[in-house]
Amino acid sequence: MIEFRGVNKWFGALHVLKDITLSVEPREVVVVCGPSGSGKSTLIRCINGLETIKDGDLVVDGQRLGDRATNMTELRTEIGFVFQAFNLYPHKTALENVTLAPIHVRKIPRGEAEASGREMLAKVGLGDKFNAYPSELSGGQQQRVAIARCLCMRPKIMLFDEPTSALDPEMISEVLDVMVGVAEEGMTMMVVTHEMGFARKVAQRVVFMDAGAVVETGTPDEFFSDPKTDRSRAFLSKILRH
Amino acid sequence: MLENFSFRTIVEYLPLFGQGFAATLWLSIVSFAGALAVGIILCAMNLQRSRLLQLPAKIYIDAIRATPLLAQLYFLYFGLPRLGLVLPELVVGILALALNSGAYIAEIIRAGILSISRGQVEAGIASGMTYAQRMRLVILPQAIRVTIPPLLGQAIVLVKDSALLSLISVAELTRAGQLLASDRFMPAEGFITTAACYLVLYYGLKSLAAFSARWLGVRPIGSRT
């Protein structure tokens, strides 16, 4: 579904992705973790073209990024992206947020889009917030609207960029619960997160990145209980200390 | 002091001020519409990545902002005929106001668009919207809300700047004051009446802005009315 082959990327002189080779199978859930600045966000932002790669191959849903034949705008409709800062449209209600792209990009009739929008908001536990503006919602609620906004496009792939890092602790689990639900329905997911509980529960694989390179991959159990490299051990000891 | 102030003369000249008021009003409206068009085009050019489009817009905006409106007006009025282009005073006046205000409006709109966070743009991109869709559905509706107050400010400046057209003998409000002043040697009566008329226009514009804000559904983003 997603395949990186020898992908490199630079920000100016900074080598942010170093020879990444990695693939994600359909219905697989992969958690990406690593210290800040290790390139994990950049990695998943490349998949929907929010960042471009310098060399190597990146094939998403059978289409090679950067090819003339690949229509990025079209490909992006198949890829949901959940941001750390939610990025809901502040001038739109929750329901308008989740129906905007289905109506204008997918060209779904308004009535139909609104019906499935209501259904999706109810599914993420916001059945009573259709007409609320983002500023009237808590962080956790906003992030759940953002997830519903992606799901309404019926994507094949969902990418999450630190979806719970901007949340107050008591709101993290409500968002993770929704993500677990999405994973259990068989969505192909790549999730940048340090939430080990989530990784253990639904991830088939954990990818550990440091300084722009993939240092270690393994099942959540292998990785969290028996990390293979010094760098992953050092990282885990920091996030597990408290 | 007030025994010398002739209200009668003002009343006598009211029809003239009425005409001046109407002239200032409609030429300001036409100029502002032109300025909006100029501003939108300049701003669109300025936001492009291509230097070829960006540079002319930047030079134009700088040139207008760096020079007095009076010099621009005189260039169009006295300069253009020498170069072979003769236009009626009124056209020259409207052109000068539109070209001048357009440069300021371009910067106002640009600031409005740039005030929208990068995350909004990315959310649009990630959901598969084209550039035009992002502008129409995500960026502009938010930018308009922050742009209305400074645009109103610019409209008020334009109305006041239109007084300069009296210098190329366009029959507008300030010209009416000048006529009263020179016909009857009553500059106090003439210009106080002119000023009062501008004040009326000012309050008209202010209430128009409040009305359009409500009509566009402008509220502090996210709060409910």
Side-chain angles (χ1 to χ4, degrees):
Chain A
M1 202 63 153
I2 305 169
E3 191 169 5
F4 290 85
R5 279 190 300 253
V7 168
N8 281 287
K9 179 177 176 61
W10 286 265
F11 283 137
L14 191 67
H15 198 174
V16 284
L17 292 180
K18 293 176 187 161
D19 198 27
I20 305 281
T21 296
L22 176 74
S23 71
V24 180
E25 302 305 315
R27 306 174 75 84
E28 193 180 15
V29 177
V30 173
V31 161
V32 184
C33 65
S36 82
S38 60
K40 16 183 229 305
S41 288
T42 308
L43 180 81
I44 68 162
R45 285 167 61 87
C46 287
I47 297 168
N48 74 346
L50 284 176
E51 306 284 352
T52 51
I53 59 173
K54 194 75 185 171
D55 64 38
D57 294 317
L58 175 50
V59 180
V60 180
D61 192 25
Q63 304 192 63
R64 188 174 169 275
L65 269 58
D67 271 2
R68 263 165 204 273
T70 302
N71 182 338
M72 265 329 279
T73 311
E74 225 160 82
L75 182 59
R76 283 183 185 121
T77 63
E78 308 294 340
I79 307 171
F81 196 102
V82 176
F83 298 88
Q84 182 178 358
F86 329 134
N87 295 348
L88 293 181
Y89 307 126
H91 59 304
K92 303 275 184 197
T93 63
L95 186 61
E96 288 168 342
N97 262 280
V98 302
T99 54
L100 193 68
I103 290 170
H104 294 278
V105 178
R106 279 264 197 247
K107 312 286 183 203
I108 295 171
R110 181 174 295 269
E112 205 178 302
E114 284 179 354
S116 83
R118 286 199 188 89
E119 189 187 316
M120 217 52 98
L121 283 173
K123 202 166 131 186
V124 300
L126 296 170
D128 55 341
K129 298 287 183 191
F130 297 154
N131 298 317
Y133 284 91
S135 61
E136 298 168 321
L137 300 172
S138 72
Q141 290 171 328
Q142 288 189 55
Q143 193 62 298
R144 285 184 281 151
V145 174
I147 295 172
R149 176 169 70 174
C150 294
L151 292 174
C152 280
M153 291 293 277
R154 314 271 170 201
K156 295 179 180 164
I157 298 168
M158 289 272 284
L159 306 171
F160 295 79
D161 187 6
E162 307 210 28
T164 57
S165 307
L167 296 176
D168 290 335
E170 74 269 24
M171 294 171 183
I172 290 176
S173 68
E174 67 189 50
V175 171
L176 291 178
D177 287 346
V178 169
M179 290 167 60
V180 168
V182 175
E184 283 170 349
E185 285 180 11
M187 181 67 71
T188 306
M189 289 165 66
M190 260 184 109
V191 185
V192 175
T193 185
H194 295 155
E195 295 295 335
M196 288 191 314
F198 173 80
R200 280 183 191 272
K201 205 164 187 176
V202 294
Q204 277 86 52
R205 257 187 313 152
V206 174
V207 172
F208 174 72
M209 287 183 74
D210 191 20
V214 172
V215 176
E216 188 173 337
T217 60
T219 65
D221 278 341
E222 285 168 5
F223 178 74
F224 290 119
S225 43
D226 183 24
K228 300 280 183 296
T229 60
D230 287 343
R231 280 192 282 180
S232 55
R233 270 193 291 273
F235 172 72
L236 285 173
S237 76
K238 275 177 201 146
I239 66 165
L240 295 182
R241 185 170 298 159
H242 303 290
Chain B
M1 188 181 131
L2 263 183
E3 61 264 30
N4 293 326
F5 194 90
S6 170
F7 285 101
R8 249 194 23 227
T9 315
I10 292 178
V11 173
E12 201 181 309
Y13 271 78
L14 269 187
L16 183 68
F17 280 101
Q19 286 164 17
F21 185 89
T24 291
L25 183 64
W26 79 258
L27 75 84
S28 295
I29 291 172
V30 174
S31 302
F32 193 72
L36 268 180
V38 170
I40 289 169
I41 292 168
L42 281 174
C43 173
M45 287 169 70
N46 208 354
L47 287 175
Q48 299 308 310
R49 238 175 250 171
S50 147
R51 279 278 157 80
L52 214 65
L53 288 166
Q54 223 188 67
L55 204 63
K58 281 195 193 306
I59 291 172
Y60 178 86
I61 291 169
D62 279 348
I64 292 288
R65 297 214 301 178
T67 54
L69 173 58
L70 187 57
Q72 296 160 15
L73 184 66
Y74 279 171
F75 170 78
L76 294 178
Y77 186 66
F78 296 115
L80 282 189
R82 278 304 181 111
L83 301 174
L85 184 63
V86 185
L87 297 169
E89 292 100 41
L90 198 58
V91 175
V92 170
I94 289 172
L95 207 60
L97 289 175
L99 291 176
N100 177 275
S101 244
Y104 292 92
I105 287 177
E107 290 296 88
I108 290 171
I109 299 175
R110 192 168 73 108
I113 289 174
L114 294 182
S115 74
I116 308 305
S117 78
R118 178 76 197 148
Q120 292 291 307
V121 179
E122 290 191 347
I125 294 175
S127 62
M129 289 184 197
T130 61
Y131 178 81
Q133 284 174 328
R134 286 190 321 261
M135 270 291 166
R136 184 165 60 86
L137 301 170
V138 178
I139 309 299
L140 290 181
Q142 295 184 59
I144 284 172
R145 287 164 162 78
V146 287
T147 305
I148 282 184
L151 275 184
L152 165 72
Q154 187 57 39
I156 291 168
V157 168
L158 187 146
V159 169
K160 292 190 293 179
D161 279 352
S162 73
L164 287 182
L165 303 199
S166 63
L167 296 172
I168 58 168
S169 59
V170 171
E172 41 70 74
L173 262 178
T174 304
R175 186 74 188 150
Q178 284 172 355
L179 286 176
L180 195 161
S182 57
D183 286 1
R184 301 291 181 89
F185 305 105
M186 288 180 178
E189 287 83 348
F191 292 118
I192 201 84
T193 313
T194 295
C197 290
Y198 280 114
L199 201 64
V200 170
L201 282 174
Y202 169 78
Y203 280 113
L205 268 175
K206 249 182 111 167
S207 49
L208 182 73
F211 171 77
S212 68
R214 240 175 302 138
W215 183 66
L216 279 166
V218 180
R219 45 185 144 58
I221 277 173
S223 72
R224 244 191 290 189
T225 45

